[in-house]
């Protein structure tokens, strides 16, 4: 009888442990996920972007001059693919920080984008939400950082 109780307890603990490890909401997983978002934008990976964005995604760009939803982001990628727009040469993130609260993770930092011969530096703050064990990007806010004079 004691062996059965021990076995049940061990199986239960291993299931709980496996579930906790599978969560996408941890520091390392969110940093990797955010890096994959940057890479997908650089490579115009339509399918990946479509899969990572939550249905009610919102992206507030520099000074709210543009506010996109999921459809607008996907349409822009489609246009870039169709016109073979490869003007963005690199996207490098630095100073990346992660905050996790419940089923929500916030990733913030700096992205330096090389577009043509220009370098543009943005501060970003992206919000990820865990739904049924998967993380989705639900909000993105980017703000250009002016060049120092």
């Amino acid at each position: 009888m004691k062996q059965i109780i021990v076995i049940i307890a061990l199986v239960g603990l291993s299931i709980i442990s496996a579930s906790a490890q599978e969560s996408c909401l941890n520091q390392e997983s969110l940093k990797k996920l955010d890096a994959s978002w940057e890479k997908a934008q650089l490579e115009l990976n339509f399918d990946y972007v479509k899969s990572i964005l939550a249905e009610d995604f919102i992206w507030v760009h520099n000074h709210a001059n543009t506010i996109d939803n999921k459809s607008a982001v996907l349409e822009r990628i489609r246009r870039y693919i169709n016109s073979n727009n490869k003007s963005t040469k690199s996207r490098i993130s630095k100073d990346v920080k992660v905050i996790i609260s419940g089923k929500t993770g916030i990733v913030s930092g700096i992205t330096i984008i090389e577009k043509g011969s220009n370098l543009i530096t943005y501060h970003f703050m992206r919000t990820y939400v865990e739904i049924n064990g998967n993380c989705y990007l639900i909000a993105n806010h980017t703000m250009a950082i002016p060049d120092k004079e």
Side-chain angles (χ1 to χ4, degrees):
M1 183 67 168
K2 286 184 182 181
Q3 283 181 319
I4 292 174
I5 293 172
V6 170
I7 291 171
I8 291 172
L10 288 175
V11 169
L13 286 174
S14 65
I15 290 171
I16 291 170
S17 176
S19 295
Q21 291 173 354
E22 291 176 16
S23 175
C24 57
L25 284 177
N26 63 64
Q27 298 270 333
E28 186 177 325
S29 293
L30 282 176
K31 283 184 178 183
K32 285 180 183 177
L33 186 60
D34 200 67
S36 70
W37 160 253
E38 289 284 9
K39 182 179 179 195
Q41 287 189 87
L42 177 65
E43 296 175 353
L44 302 176
N45 187 335
F46 181 89
D47 292 332
Y48 183 79
V49 170
K50 184 177 180 183
S51 73
I52 194 174
L53 296 182
E55 289 306 313
D56 48 355
F57 171 78
I58 184 170
W59 184 344
V60 179
H61 296 266
N62 203 38
H63 298 289
N65 63 0
T66 304
I67 299 175
D68 289 333
N69 60 16
K70 183 176 183 174
S71 297
V73 171
L74 294 174
E75 180 55 36
R76 183 170 45 256
I77 291 173
R78 205 177 275 122
R79 277 195 324 271
Y80 287 177
I81 291 169
N82 291 338
S83 68
N84 199 28
N85 182 338
K86 304 225 180 208
S87 63
T88 302
K89 293 180 172 68
S90 68
R91 299 178 71 92
I92 299 169
S93 295
K94 65 179 192 173
D95 301 331
V96 177
K97 295 175 180 60
V98 176
I99 300 169
I100 298 169
S101 180
K103 295 287 186 181
T104 304
I106 297 176
V107 180
S108 65
I110 303 293
T111 298
I112 301 168
I113 298 175
E114 182 182 2
K115 205 169 206 167
S117 61
N118 297 323
L119 290 178
I120 307 164
T121 304
Y122 289 94
H123 182 273
F124 68 86
M125 185 167 63
R126 292 188 266 273
T127 305
Y128 293 88
V129 62
E130 184 177 12
I131 302 170
N132 297 327
N134 294 312
C135 279
Y136 297 95
L137 181 54
I138 196 165
N140 188 12
H141 187 270
T142 51
M143 179 69 69
I145 299 172
D147 292 334
K148 294 180 181 174
E149 296 181 19

